[in-house]
Amino acid sequence: MTDEASGKQRDVLDVLVLRYLSGQPLCGADGYPYLRPGLGQLAGYQRQALRIGMPALAGVVWAWPQESVAVVAMLAAVALWRARRRWGRIRFRNEYVTPTLAAIGPALGLKDVRVDLHVDPGLGQLTPRLAKPLSPAEEWVRVRYGTYLEPILRWLPEHIQRAVWTVQGWVYPLTKRLDWFRRPGEKLGPRIELTAATPYLTKEQRQLVSAIITAKIPVSDLVESWHQVGANVRARWTVRQRPPSSVGVDQLLEHLPRLQEWEFYIGQGAGDRPVILSLKDDSPHIAVSAGTGAGKSVFAMDIAVQVLRRGGQVIILDRKGSHRWARNLDGVTYCTKPAQMHNALIEAAEIADLRNDMAFSEADDWDPGPRILVICEELNATIGMLANYWAEIRGKGDPKKSPAIAALGDLLFMGRSAKVNILAIAQMLTARAIGGPEARENFGIRCLARYTANAWKMLVPEASMPRASRTLGRWQIVIGGVATEVQVAYLTTAEARALAKVTKEPDEGLSRDVTGDSDMMTLQDAIDAGVLPWKYSAARQRLARNVGQVPAKRGKRGKADLYTRSDLERWAASGRR
């Protein structure tokens, strides 16, 4: 062998030894990071630890065989446990990641472009889909493993974790103060992330990638976002955030004091954020389209009680009696017969027309008076009843079109200055039901629940249609072509009637007790109304000394305590005895 050949062999041996000790692939391939694992490969430090640690462990066992038995057994158990986890990751990658990458590469038509794909195992039901039925032998091994081996393997990690939690509890007062200096980071949940080593992808390519991701990874209802600034193209698919499962009177009471007269709280949206409708900024009229049992009357009730609480008026056209909560309430005109509906619509149109005439000579911020809300229940049937009623009473020379239907159309074309708003409710809000397509265009706020594809395309074709939810009270509020998912607040009849009472001080706090049908009163209110027979000072003394059946405090109005009328009457009766 010549000196040149032996020198080449030594060079090759030196390179192999260097690669072996540094954790590089022995095949000579490059591009595998030292700290981050490559595609289906170990990271450099992991490979280095195995190559150096295994011979060292073998030497220790050979030198001290008896002393090393327990250590070897534990290391073998840990290795088996890690191998099992790694096998699960390999199965997950072979099932979802590798086939998806194989489909994306040729579809993009870009050669030598590296594409990385991360799929979170906690996304949807991806991991449970890989589970297979166990044989009796596998079940026996699993039971023995969980009974005898797993407690030993988990003892040390669990105690270390508990020690870490204890230390974190000790230093929490300090770390909490440090949060003031930290910048809020992006909170990312389970997601799919794709990175392509190319500066730009066309719209067609992005749509193709999105279609492949949706087809190859079985997770529904994902939110897609693309980022093409920089040298790489990044895409992310995250699970759509959902509103809470239920919203009640507590949330409504929390937000009412902060609302303007033209703003109305509807419910909670994604991330438990409040959803507020504005009849001044968004639209003067609201269209509600939903299937049977979706909660159309509850939606209308939420708006109506807020109008009544602020001193407004509500006109309800309801043939089937869906709003019994509003019967005999001040400020409510409840129309169940066609004649009543006919007269109420004509009167509302006259008021709106008068207000518009007066607005010409007033300032821009002129207030025409209390807000009037007209709730048209089951508009598909109501229009037919009004037309039939007019056909019966129409005299010779009267117009063929019902004046009530014409008045409804006029109200829809009235501006915001009149403060007369229509809330139209129908299962299918067609143009014929509302008086034509031009009249339907006046509904800037459109609310849908349990909708069909036809209903969505008819009302909001400019917005992409999300999947309809079967959760009761779950609505899609569409404003300006943007759909917002909302869990609408649910109120009982007693809560609605209590909230509908006019309050003169809406910004000074609201009573939290709205479960009864009694009036909420301060001591001074009760004395002025004749409920309490004493003077204010005497009533305060009786409260301080617990004389008689002292009423319980039910809330606050400013600094004054609130009590129910029934409790105050019982207190007065006990004092007389």
Side-chain angles (χ1 to χ4, degrees):
M1 181 179 297
T2 63
D3 292 340
E4 184 180 355
S6 61
K8 289 183 178 180
Q9 288 181 354
R10 285 194 300 271
D11 292 342
V12 171
L13 183 60
D14 292 342
V15 170
L16 288 176
V17 171
L18 178 62
R19 282 185 168 272
Y20 181 87
L21 295 178
S22 61
Q24 299 182 51
L26 297 178
C27 63
D30 295 324
Y32 296 104
Y34 183 78
L35 296 177
R36 184 171 58 87
L39 297 177
Q41 300 290 333
L42 294 175
Y45 77 92
Q46 295 173 327
R47 208 178 291 110
Q48 188 180 34
L50 287 174
R51 292 173 180 175
I52 299 176
M54 294 305 293
L57 180 62
V60 171
V61 173
W62 178 81
W64 298 283
Q66 295 181 353
E67 293 82 353
S68 305
V69 172
V71 177
V72 171
M74 182 169 289
L75 290 176
V78 172
L80 289 174
W81 176 67
R82 291 184 61 86
R84 178 175 171 271
R85 290 187 59 189
R86 180 168 176 78
W87 171 246
R89 289 195 294 268
I90 292 174
R91 285 187 59 203
F92 184 89
R93 186 173 185 84
N94 291 339
E95 180 71 17
Y96 300 115
V97 180
T98 303
T100 306
L101 287 173
I104 289 176
L108 292 178
L110 302 175
K111 296 182 179 180
D112 301 328
V113 173
R114 179 175 176 177
V115 179
D116 292 333
L117 180 65
H118 166 77
V119 181
D120 200 311
L123 195 65
Q125 297 293 317
L126 295 182
T127 301
R129 287 170 61 95
L130 299 178
K132 297 180 180 179
L134 299 178
S135 65
E138 289 174 325
E139 291 181 358
W140 184 88
V141 171
R142 290 285 182 93
V143 172
R144 297 304 183 276
Y145 172 81
T147 304
Y148 302 107
L149 187 57
E150 188 173 17
I152 299 174
L153 297 177
R154 293 183 63 88
W155 183 87
L156 183 60
E158 286 182 355
H159 281 72
I160 293 175
Q161 185 63 60
R162 291 176 183 176
V164 171
W165 288 339
T166 303
V167 174
Q168 288 176 347
W170 292 342
V171 300
Y172 177 73
L174 178 61
T175 57
K176 184 179 181 180
R177 294 184 179 183
L178 293 177
D179 290 342
W180 190 72
F181 298 96
R182 296 192 180 100
R183 293 181 178 178
E186 187 177 10
K187 296 181 180 179
L188 298 176
R191 63 196 184 279
I192 301 172
E193 287 187 339
L194 181 139
T195 303
T198 181
Y200 181 75
L201 292 179
T202 64
K203 181 179 179 181
E204 292 75 14
Q205 289 174 321
R206 296 197 300 270
Q207 291 176 346
L208 186 56
V209 170
S210 180
I212 293 173
I213 292 290
T214 305
K216 301 295 290 184
I217 303 177
V219 180
S220 60
D221 207 12
L222 294 175
V223 179
E224 177 182 346
S225 61
W226 287 84
H227 181 78
Q228 300 203 89
V229 178
N232 298 327
V233 174
R234 294 184 295 275
R236 179 181 297 160
W237 291 263
T238 55
V239 179
R240 187 185 303 275
Q241 289 185 333
R242 292 297 187 185
S245 58
S246 63
V247 178
V249 67
D250 290 337
Q251 289 90 335
L252 178 58
L253 287 172
E254 178 184 353
H255 294 94
L256 272 181
R258 298 192 288 267
L259 299 181
Q260 299 293 332
E261 187 275 336
W262 57 84
E263 293 179 332
F264 297 87
Y265 172 80
I266 296 301
Q268 298 294 112
D272 205 18
R273 293 187 295 270
V275 177
I276 310 297
L277 298 185
S278 173
L279 296 183
K280 180 179 179 180
D281 301 329
D282 299 329
S283 168
H285 306 300
I286 304 173
V288 177
S289 177
T292 303
K296 299 186 293 292
S297 300
V298 173
F299 187 99
M301 178 175 63
D302 288 345
I303 303 291
V305 295
Q306 295 177 64
V307 171
L308 293 172
R309 189 173 186 86
R310 297 164 184 167
Q313 302 177 29
V314 175
I315 301 172
I316 303 177
L317 315 182
D318 180 20
R319 184 65 180 88
K320 62 179 185 179
S322 300
H323 295 272
R324 295 171 185 168
W325 63 272
R327 295 188 62 183
N328 302 322
L329 280 178
D330 293 338
V332 175
T333 302
Y334 205 135
C335 306
T336 59
K337 303 298 182 183
Q340 297 172 337
M341 301 178 188
H342 180 91
N343 296 329
L345 284 174
I346 294 176
E347 182 179 356
E350 291 175 351
I351 294 174
D353 188 55
L354 177 62
R355 288 182 174 183
N356 277 335
D357 290 341
M358 297 173 63
F360 279 114
S361 58
E362 301 290 345
D364 292 339
D365 57 350
W366 173 70
D367 187 1
R371 186 174 299 277
I372 301 175
L373 177 68
V374 182
I375 300 177
C376 303
E377 272 280 356
E378 298 298 342
L379 197 58
N380 301 90
T382 300
I383 293 295
M385 286 190 297
L386 291 173
N388 294 335
Y389 173 75
W390 178 246
E392 294 175 0
I393 67 170
R394 183 171 69 91
K396 187 175 181 181
D398 291 335
K400 292 184 178 181
K401 185 176 182 179
S402 166
I405 298 177
L408 178 60
D410 292 339
L411 288 174
L412 289 175
F413 287 98
M414 296 286 183
R416 293 172 174 82
S417 59
K419 287 181 68 174
V420 180
N421 309 108
I422 303 296
L423 197 156
I425 303 175
Q427 292 190 18
M428 182 70 75
L429 195 61
T430 61
R432 182 176 61 86
I434 200 61
E438 65 280 357
R440 194 172 62 187
E441 289 302 313
N442 290 285
F443 292 101
I445 302 174
R446 304 189 179 192
C447 314
L448 299 94
R450 292 188 180 178
Y451 43 83
T452 62
N454 289 335
W456 186 275
K457 292 178 182 178
M458 179 186 66
L459 278 181
V460 284
E462 70 279 6
S464 59
M465 186 183 79
R467 185 177 60 181
S469 174
R470 302 302 299 175
T471 303
L472 188 61
R474 187 65 55 83
W475 287 75
Q476 296 287 344
I477 311 298
V478 184
I479 301 174
V482 178
T484 303
E485 191 175 25
V486 182
Q487 182 67 32
V488 170
Y490 174 76
L491 304 177
T492 64
T493 298
E495 291 169 348
R497 292 183 67 85
L499 277 171
K501 303 296 177 63
V502 177
T503 174
K504 296 181 180 179
E505 300 173 350
D507 297 330
E508 295 188 8
L510 296 172
S511 167
R512 293 285 170 176
D513 184 0
V514 294
T515 57
D517 56 357
S518 300
D519 293 335
M520 305 299 296
M521 310 179 74
T522 64
L523 288 181
Q524 189 62 54
D525 293 339
I527 294 169
D528 295 341
V531 177
L532 296 180
W534 317 298
K535 294 183 179 179
Y536 181 79
S537 58
R540 294 287 300 177
Q541 290 179 0
R542 285 173 174 270
L543 273 179
R545 298 173 182 176
N546 291 326
V547 178
Q549 296 183 11
V550 176
K553 299 176 183 179
R554 303 293 184 175
K556 287 279 190 182
R557 182 189 297 165
K559 296 182 179 179
D561 295 325
L562 286 172
Y563 309 89
T564 61
R565 187 186 186 97
S566 57
D567 288 348
L568 293 170
E569 289 175 348
R570 282 193 294 268
W571 186 34
S574 65
R576 294 190 186 98
R577 290 195 299 270

